[in-house]
């Protein structure tokens, strides 16, 4: 498990160099109109919890103070609701000017001509691309277009209730295997009367790592990278663990959503992006830590660095102002001091150097990413074809229904591949 034992900040700057990585639309939208007094109003939308929303609002207030001629109207939703709303807005011709984005969505919306190519704005000097950590400025380049600018880096981790693990005598460590992890979950269940994990079977990015550990991947550049024969035993085993109580009660998890199961004491651990540890501390009362991802052979974890980004929409009426706002959010040192590691370790050197982690969650994120970088486990990100966002949502929904006993593993696997094939064919 990663501990707060300090870090070499210069060394962490090299993290992204190990992996330069990290979701039906018919019309692009238009931006907001100009305000009174010669001001321009743009709209910015993102997903996340209340804590992220408060921080973004602080950044927006600072931006408006420094750029009094540009006003920013804001909106945020939970992850799934965000994309539903964005799709509706874009199809209706009125999406936000700036959105939070992720690699899973780039090819989909590029194919629909929804995203703004930011390269011309960079050439005009409206968007600075200097000082990004080890090439992260190219993270969102697709077919010669710059479709987004990264705001941070993160990686998958096992988030744990440290007290529960310690009381059970379970010590996660680099190089531990899935068998050792599962034995630890059984020990937690028997000694703490607590489910060892929230149930990882619906987490696409975790299954991607499991596949990568075995020389495959969830996606190829244009399709699926695995078969029904590989998913069936994975989901069959997951359902058995739910019934055995090793994984948390899915019905209770559904009842507390959108809260996190681990934060609400329903399990001792769950797999998530490392920067989510900030949210656990905000939602829960426990002592949470980041533990290494188990592997098949004790060596290859299949991990990579991911990144949230900011993208403009193609029909915005104010591309220069959009670029100015994105540049501010990715370069201004004060933004880093406000956001911390909420969206990952800052992508630019200026912001990275500006934020000195002081609290335990942020120190743990820095230590964790340093640890996995030093271990040499980071690899290039898996390509995501158009339709990946629909497939990710299907994997989560069908995996959840499986855990709730609504369908057998066999039927769940067939349904997933049927929906995946449809999603790929329609993009």
């Amino acid at each position: 498990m990663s501990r707060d034992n300090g870090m070499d900040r210069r060394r962490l700057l090299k993290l992204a160099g190990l992996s330069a990585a990290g979701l039906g639309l018919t019309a692009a939208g238009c931006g907001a109109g100009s305000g009174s007094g010669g001001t321009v109003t743009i709209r910015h939308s993102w997903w996340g919890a209340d804590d992220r929303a408060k921080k973004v609002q602080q950044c927006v207030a600072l931006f408006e103070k420094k750029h009094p001629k540009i006003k920013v109207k804001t909106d945020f939703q939970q992850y799934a609701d965000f994309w539903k709303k964005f799709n509706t807005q874009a199809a209706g011709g009125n999406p936000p000017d700036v959105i939070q984005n992720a690699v899973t969505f780039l090819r989909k919306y590029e194919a629909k001509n929804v995203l703004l190519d930011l390269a011309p704005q960079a050439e005009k000097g409206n968007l600075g691309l200097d000082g990004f950590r080890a090439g992260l400025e190219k993270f969102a380049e697709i077919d010669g277009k710059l479709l987004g600018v990264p705001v941070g880096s993160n990686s998958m981790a096992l988030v744990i209730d440290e007290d529960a693990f310690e009381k059970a005598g379970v010590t996660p460590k680099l190089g531990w295997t899935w068998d050792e992890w599962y034995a630890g979950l059984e020990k937690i269940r028997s000694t703490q009367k607590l489910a060892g994990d929230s149930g990882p079977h619906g987490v696409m990015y975790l299954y991607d790592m499991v596949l990568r550990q075995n020389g495959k991947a969830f996606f190829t550049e244009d399709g699926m990278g695995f078969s029904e024969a590989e998913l069936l035993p994975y989901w069959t085993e997951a359902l058995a663990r739910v019934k055995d109580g090793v994984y948390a009660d899915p019905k209770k998890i559904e009842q507390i959503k959108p809260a996190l199961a681990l934060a609400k004491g329903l399990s001792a651990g769950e797999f998530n992006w490392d920067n989510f540890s900030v949210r656990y501390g905000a939602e829960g009362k426990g002592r949470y830590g980041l533990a290494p991802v188990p592997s098949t052979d004790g060596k290859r974890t299949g991990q990579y660095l991911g990144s949230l980004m900011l993208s403009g929409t193609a029909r915005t009426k104010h591309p220069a102002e959009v670029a100015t706002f994105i540049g501010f959010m990715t370069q201004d040192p004060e933004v880093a001091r406000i956001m911390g590691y909420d969206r990952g370790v800052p992508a630019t050197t200026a912001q990275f150097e500006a934020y000195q982690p002081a609290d335990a969650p942020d120190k743990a994120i820095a230590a964790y990413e340093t640890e996995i970088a030093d271990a040499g486990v980071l690899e290039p990100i898996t390509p995501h074809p158009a339709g990946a966002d629909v497939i990710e949502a299907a994997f989560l929904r069908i995996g959840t229904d499986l855990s709730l006993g609504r369908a057998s593993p066999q039927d769940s696997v067939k349904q997933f591949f049927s929906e995946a094939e449809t999603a790929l064919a329609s993009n």
Side-chain angles (χ1 to χ4, degrees):
M1 173 179 21
S2 295
R3 297 288 186 182
D4 173 23
N5 54 6
M7 68 169 180
D8 181 342
R9 294 178 65 80
R10 294 289 180 182
R11 181 158 48 102
L12 187 53
L13 280 172
K14 300 177 182 178
L15 274 173
L18 297 174
S19 173
L23 195 161
L25 202 61
T26 58
C30 58
S34 298
S36 60
T39 61
V40 165
T41 299
I42 61 175
R43 291 186 293 142
H44 174 37
S45 183
W46 69 93
W47 70 82
D50 290 343
D51 188 53
R52 177 178 295 174
K54 292 176 183 177
K55 292 176 179 178
V56 173
Q57 294 287 12
Q58 287 180 260
C59 295
V60 166
L62 181 63
F63 173 79
E64 291 180 337
K65 183 178 180 180
K66 293 187 176 184
H67 299 272
K69 294 296 185 180
I70 307 176
K71 302 300 179 185
V72 182
K73 185 177 180 181
T74 61
D75 181 38
F76 86 99
Q77 311 283 331
Q78 293 294 323
Y79 180 80
D81 293 335
F82 169 89
W83 289 109
K84 288 178 182 177
K85 185 173 182 177
F86 177 71
N87 285 339
T88 300
Q89 291 172 323
N94 190 34
D97 298 88
V98 181
I99 63 166
Q100 182 174 286
N101 206 352
V103 68
T104 315
F105 297 92
L106 289 179
R107 290 191 180 277
K108 170 181 179 175
Y109 291 121
E110 189 275 335
K112 305 292 185 180
N113 297 315
V114 171
L115 300 179
L116 176 68
D117 181 5
L118 291 164
Q121 295 302 318
E123 292 172 1
K124 293 176 182 179
N126 296 324
L127 175 64
L129 296 177
D130 294 331
F132 275 81
R133 294 163 48 215
L136 273 175
E137 72 277 4
K138 298 182 180 296
F139 177 79
E141 282 191 357
I142 298 290
D143 299 330
K145 298 179 181 179
L146 181 62
L147 302 179
V149 181
V151 295
S153 68
N154 48 35
S155 188
M156 287 292 291
L158 173 60
V159 188
I160 66 170
D161 180 330
E162 293 186 320
D163 290 332
F165 270 69
E166 288 177 6
K167 289 177 181 177
V170 179
T171 305
K173 59 185 181 299
L174 278 170
W176 70 331
T177 65
W178 289 110
D179 288 341
E180 291 172 317
W181 168 77
Y182 184 66
L185 301 193
E186 290 187 308
K187 196 172 182 180
I188 290 169
R189 180 191 57 179
S190 63
T191 62
Q192 307 298 306
K193 308 304 179 186
L194 176 67
D197 194 273
S198 299
H201 39 278
V203 184
M204 183 190 79
Y205 293 100
L206 177 65
Y207 189 52
D208 183 28
M209 287 196 301
V210 172
L211 289 167
R212 289 158 66 91
Q213 290 177 11
N214 292 279
K216 296 193 174 185
F218 200 98
F219 293 117
T220 63
E221 287 191 14
D222 55 6
M224 306 301 294
F226 63 103
S227 67
E228 293 186 21
E230 289 157 307
L231 181 57
L232 180 58
Y234 183 75
W235 269 354
T236 299
E237 184 179 65
L239 184 60
R241 291 174 176 180
V242 168
K243 293 178 179 179
D244 289 344
V246 177
Y247 291 166
D249 185 340
K251 293 180 181 178
K252 292 181 179 179
I253 293 176
E254 287 297 302
Q255 290 171 355
I256 64 153
K257 285 182 176 179
L260 297 162
L262 172 60
K264 296 305 178 183
L266 297 182
S267 71
E270 60 190 34
F271 291 92
N272 214 326
W273 296 105
D274 56 18
N275 62 305
F276 264 61
S277 60
V278 177
R279 182 176 168 187
Y280 287 95
E283 286 189 8
K285 298 180 180 179
R287 187 167 60 94
Y288 308 105
L290 296 172
V293 173
S295 65
T296 302
D297 62 3
K299 297 177 182 179
R300 184 181 183 184
T301 66
Q303 287 174 272
Y304 46 80
L305 291 183
S307 178
L308 291 178
M309 68 189 78
L310 295 180
S311 296
T313 52
R315 288 193 179 179
T316 179
K317 295 177 180 178
H318 310 292
E321 287 80 4
V322 163
T324 299
F325 178 68
I326 291 176
F328 173 84
M329 293 294 284
T330 55
Q331 295 278 0
D332 191 277
E334 186 60 27
V335 169
R337 287 189 279 269
I338 293 171
M339 295 302 301
Y341 287 174
D342 180 85
R343 298 178 300 182
V345 178
T348 60
T349 302
Q351 290 195 341
F352 183 89
E353 294 289 356
Y355 178 66
Q356 300 286 337
D359 58 17
D362 282 352
K363 286 184 177 181
I365 294 169
Y368 176 75
E369 291 204 7
T370 300
E371 185 177 56
I372 60 176
D374 288 348
V377 300
L378 296 174
E379 304 173 359
I381 191 170
T382 306
H384 290 71
D389 59 318
V390 177
I391 294 170
E392 178 186 0
F395 194 79
L396 175 59
R397 170 173 44 81
I398 295 170
T400 299
D401 286 345
L402 167 74
S403 70
L404 290 166
R406 295 171 179 167
S408 68
Q410 292 84 355
D411 289 343
S412 297
V413 170
K414 290 185 179 300
Q415 181 185 352
F416 170 72
F417 271 89
S418 175
E419 293 190 23
E421 290 170 4
T422 299
L424 290 170
S426 62
N427 284 278

